[in-house]
Amino acid sequence: ATQIKASKLRKKLTTKAGGELTEADVEADRQAILNLYQEKGYKDTEVKTSIQTDEKTEDSTVTFTVAEAGKTLIGKVSFEGNTQFSDKQLRKVVKTRRHTIFSFIDKSGRVEKDKLSEDIDALREFYQNHGYEDVKIGDPAVIRTEGKTKIELSYPIEEGPQYHVGQISIGETKLFTAKEIASALLLKEGDVYS
């Protein structure tokens, strides 16, 4: 392991020297290592395990073999199901960007789990601010492009109906008339609800 230090990988393991060894624990540890690599953007990394047991002492040695792959880079960010806003408009909302020649400066173009969650929230908020209260944004599909070096992220969107402000009713108060209160409201009848 060269992309992630062995000491950091060991901290993720539940299997400890001198402890009981089960195949389920070894598989959980393999998955924990794989998840760590994937969180760091190394989506194509593979982790294999082998167990050797000394027949005399009954001590076992677990070996995790990590076949590191390069970081998975984003070649394109797209959206599926959007009819009210263009891909270009929605790309301005999300933090995840495609990889460019300047990506070494701002670290853009890499798959980061945290950013993907933030992107889904940002897209939902954008739509809701434009009256689409029922919008549903799914986890992005990962589509392989350009061999295995780049991927396309495609966010599925179900926009739903756009809501508008209907009739606004205001009761009389002692200090202000209904007309005075209505003129102070930011929302007007027929406005997009957000």
Side-chain angles (χ1 to χ4, degrees):
T2 57
Q3 300 298 336
I4 300 175
K5 292 180 181 179
S7 60
K8 190 168 187 174
L9 294 175
R10 278 191 203 96
K11 289 179 183 176
K12 292 287 182 184
L13 303 179
T14 57
T15 305
K16 301 293 181 199
E20 187 177 326
L21 182 66
T22 67
E23 286 186 32
D25 288 342
V26 172
E27 176 56 26
D29 288 344
R30 186 192 76 77
Q31 195 60 49
I33 292 170
L34 190 59
N35 289 344
L36 183 61
Y37 270 92
Q38 289 182 348
E39 287 169 10
K40 298 286 185 185
Y42 299 97
K43 298 287 183 200
D44 295 322
T45 296
E46 294 179 8
V47 180
K48 295 181 180 175
T49 61
S50 64
I51 302 171
Q52 291 85 29
T53 303
D54 184 325
E55 292 179 19
K56 291 180 185 176
T57 64
E58 295 187 13
D59 287 339
S60 296
T61 302
V62 179
T63 304
F64 295 94
T65 306
V66 180
E68 291 180 337
K71 281 203 174 196
T72 304
L73 303 176
I74 301 167
K76 183 178 179 183
V77 176
S78 64
F79 306 89
E80 188 177 320
N82 52 312
T83 58
Q84 300 303 312
F85 302 100
S86 69
D87 281 14
K88 185 177 180 179
Q89 287 173 297
L90 296 178
R91 274 190 212 100
K92 291 177 182 177
V93 174
V94 298
K95 290 182 179 180
T96 302
R97 304 272 183 245
R98 69 181 185 86
H99 186 265
T100 67
I101 59 171
F102 300 108
S103 292
F104 71 94
I105 296 170
D106 63 3
K107 306 290 188 224
S108 65
R110 297 179 182 170
V111 179
E112 295 179 36
K113 224 175 194 175
D114 294 343
K115 272 190 188 176
L116 296 179
S117 294
E118 291 173 14
D119 288 347
I120 290 170
D121 291 342
L123 286 167
R124 185 178 300 109
E125 184 177 338
F126 174 80
Y127 268 94
Q128 288 174 341
N129 286 342
H130 287 86
Y132 295 90
E133 291 298 311
D134 299 332
V135 68
K136 293 178 184 164
I137 313 288
D139 289 331
V142 177
I143 304 160
R144 292 271 169 213
T145 60
E146 300 177 33
K148 276 194 153 189
T149 60
K150 291 195 178 180
I151 62 166
E152 175 184 346
L153 289 180
S154 180
Y155 292 85
I157 299 172
E158 290 180 36
E159 295 175 326
Q162 186 181 41
Y163 291 95
H164 292 83
V165 176
Q167 183 179 3
I168 300 174
S169 299
I170 303 168
E172 293 290 329
T173 66
K174 291 182 180 180
L175 295 175
F176 302 102
T177 67
K179 194 173 189 177
E180 290 173 320
I181 294 172
S183 67
L185 291 177
L186 296 176
L187 280 178
K188 306 291 183 211
E189 289 182 9
D191 285 354
V192 170
Y193 177 78
S194 68

